[in-house]
Amino acid sequence: MRAPTTLSLAVLVTLALASCASPTPTDAPPSIPPNGGERGGAPHQELARHYAPVIHQGVASDQDFIVAVDFDGDWVGNNNWENQPTSDLSAHVYYSVAETETHWFLFYSLFHPRDYTSDPCEESDGCHENDMESVQVVVAKDGTPFGHLQVIETLAHSHIYLYTSDQSVEVNFLKVKGAVRLEGERPVVYVETYGHGIYGQRKILVPHAVVYRVGERAEVPEGLEDDDVSYQLVSIYETLWAHRDEIGPGQAFDKPFDYQGHTLPAAIDGDDYGTDRANTPWGYDQATGDVLSRGDWFLDPARALAYHASFGGDFSLKYVHNPYLADLGLMGE
C-alpha cells in the first residue's frame, strides 16, 4: 500500500499513540470473530455459553455419560467401543455458531462412545459404536446483546423435533411439538437412556438421570444420580471440522458423501455392532423433504430453518458468519 504524502499533526499524534498501545485481549479462539456481527450482538462464544442447554441425561451406566469424541486420546473412531470403560469420561459438548443478518444459529452436539440397549448387544440389533445427537437453537437479533430465543430443534434418531418460544413462529415442513422449556434463558433438553435421542419436552428418564450444565470445567458425574455436573463447550470448527478429511477405516470418519461438489464424511468411523452408524454434525439427512440436502441442517441452517418453520418477522438467508460454507467456498455474495 502506498503511504500518504502528507499527514496532519493530529493524525501523526494519534498514530504514534496507537502504536504504543497494547493489543486488546480476547478470550475468543481464532475461529470466532471478536464481535457478534451486526446489531450490537455479543461475541459468538458468549452467545454459545448463554444459550448452552441444560441437559437431563438418562443413565443406566456410565455408557450414557456425555464425553469428547477423542475421549480415549486419539482421533480413531473404530476403537471407541472397546476404549469406553478405561478412558476419560469427563463431559464435553460441541458447539458452533452461524449468523445471518437477522438471526444466530447455535448448534450443540452430544457424543457417546456407545449406543446400546438394555438387552445384551449380542442379542439386540439396537447397538452400535459411537453416537452423536444434536440440538439447534435459533435466536433472533433484536438490538440486545443476546437477542431472544425463538426455536429449538432436537434430533432423536431419524427425526428432528421443533419446539418454539415465540408465538410468531408457525409450522411449515415440521409440526410444532411444544413449547421450549427454559432454566433461566437456557433451553432444557432430555436425552433418553441407551439410545440418546434428544427431546425438548419433559421426559421421565429411567432408571437414573444426570443433569449437565455448562461450566468452566469438564466434570465426570459422581454417580448415576448426579444433578449438577459441569460440561465444557468445545468448538466444532476447531476440532471435528478440522479432522473432516480423515476419512476411511481406522480414521476419525467414514461414509463419504457429496455436498455441493465437496466430499465430506457423513459418519464417525465405527465397526462394533454396525458400520458407521453415528452421524457427524454435518452428516444428518433428517427432515430434508424435497428441498434440503444431507448436511443442510448444520451447514446451511438458515435455509433449513426457513423450510422447517414459518417465521413471522424478518428472516434473512444472507450469512455474515458461516466458517463452514466459507471453507467450502459456498458463502456466495
Side-chain angles (χ1 to χ4, degrees):
M1 179 182 296
R2 181 177 299 171
T5 56
T6 61
L7 287 172
S8 69
L9 179 59
V11 171
L12 286 171
V13 171
T14 299
L15 290 174
L17 291 173
S19 67
C20 296
S22 300
T24 302
T26 176
D27 293 328
S31 65
I32 300 176
N35 56 56
E38 300 181 358
R39 302 192 186 182
H44 290 153
Q45 193 175 43
E46 290 185 21
L47 279 162
R49 287 183 63 84
H50 185 82
Y51 288 107
V54 176
I55 302 164
H56 291 247
Q57 170 70 64
V59 295
S61 70
D62 65 11
Q63 296 172 92
D64 294 302
F65 291 175
I66 299 166
V67 304
V69 172
D70 59 339
F71 75 113
D72 55 354
D74 63 43
W75 284 92
V76 176
N78 65 3
N79 64 8
N80 288 336
W81 184 281
E82 54 263 42
N83 287 344
Q84 189 277 334
T86 58
S87 297
D88 181 7
L89 301 183
S90 59
H92 295 75
V93 171
Y94 292 86
Y95 80 94
S96 177
V97 181
E99 179 184 357
T100 66
E101 295 171 315
T102 59
H103 285 77
W104 292 292
F105 300 87
L106 314 177
F107 199 89
Y108 303 90
S109 292
L110 283 55
F111 175 74
H112 302 81
R114 295 181 176 183
D115 188 298
Y116 70 115
T117 62
S118 57
D119 297 322
C121 286
E122 291 75 16
E123 303 171 9
S124 168
D125 62 358
C127 299
H128 58 81
E129 187 170 30
N130 302 316
D131 190 22
M132 181 165 276
E133 311 277 352
S134 298
V135 179
Q136 181 98 249
V137 177
V138 182
V139 178
K141 298 179 183 180
D142 59 9
T144 64
F146 296 105
H148 64 275
L149 192 155
Q150 287 191 298
V151 161
I152 74 166
E153 291 187 323
T154 68
L155 180 74
H157 312 298
S158 59
H159 300 284
I160 292 174
Y161 296 106
L162 173 69
Y163 305 88
T164 65
S165 62
D166 186 328
Q167 293 184 349
S168 70
V169 180
E170 298 180 346
V171 302
N172 197 353
F173 180 74
L174 295 179
K175 296 180 180 179
V176 176
K177 295 293 291 184
V180 177
R181 295 181 63 87
L182 295 171
E183 184 177 289
E185 293 192 61
R186 293 192 170 107
V188 179
V189 297
Y190 299 83
V191 186
E192 65 185 3
T193 313
Y194 306 120
H196 309 138
I198 305 176
Y199 302 88
Q201 291 175 308
R202 185 179 181 87
K203 292 180 67 69
I204 298 175
L205 301 171
V206 294
H208 308 287
V210 168
V211 182
Y212 292 94
R213 295 177 179 86
V214 68
E216 298 299 329
R217 297 186 303 141
E219 297 180 340
V220 180
E222 295 181 356
L224 301 185
E225 294 185 346
D226 193 336
D227 63 0
D228 190 17
V229 184
S230 171
Y231 69 78
Q232 186 173 357
L233 285 174
V234 182
S235 165
I236 291 175
Y237 186 81
E238 296 291 338
T239 56
L240 302 175
W241 184 253
H243 289 270
R244 68 189 181 280
D245 293 330
E246 299 171 17
I247 303 175
Q251 300 199 66
F253 304 117
D254 212 336
K255 198 175 178 181
F257 75 104
D258 177 80
Y259 186 80
Q260 299 188 37
H262 299 268
T263 299
L264 295 174
I268 301 170
D269 185 44
D271 299 332
D272 291 83
Y273 304 105
T275 303
D276 305 336
R277 293 178 62 183
N279 288 117
T280 56
W282 54 85
Y284 299 119
D285 64 353
Q286 285 85 354
T288 54
D290 297 326
V291 172
L292 303 178
S293 301
R294 177 189 287 270
D296 280 341
W297 191 44
F298 174 80
L299 294 168
D300 195 354
R303 184 165 174 264
L305 267 294
Y307 180 60
H308 289 168
S310 176
F311 290 80
D314 293 338
F315 192 93
S316 173
L317 300 180
K318 183 178 180 180
Y319 292 101
V320 297
H321 177 77
N322 187 326
Y324 309 96
L325 292 186
D327 281 359
L328 299 176
L330 299 173
M331 276 286 279
E333 297 298 332

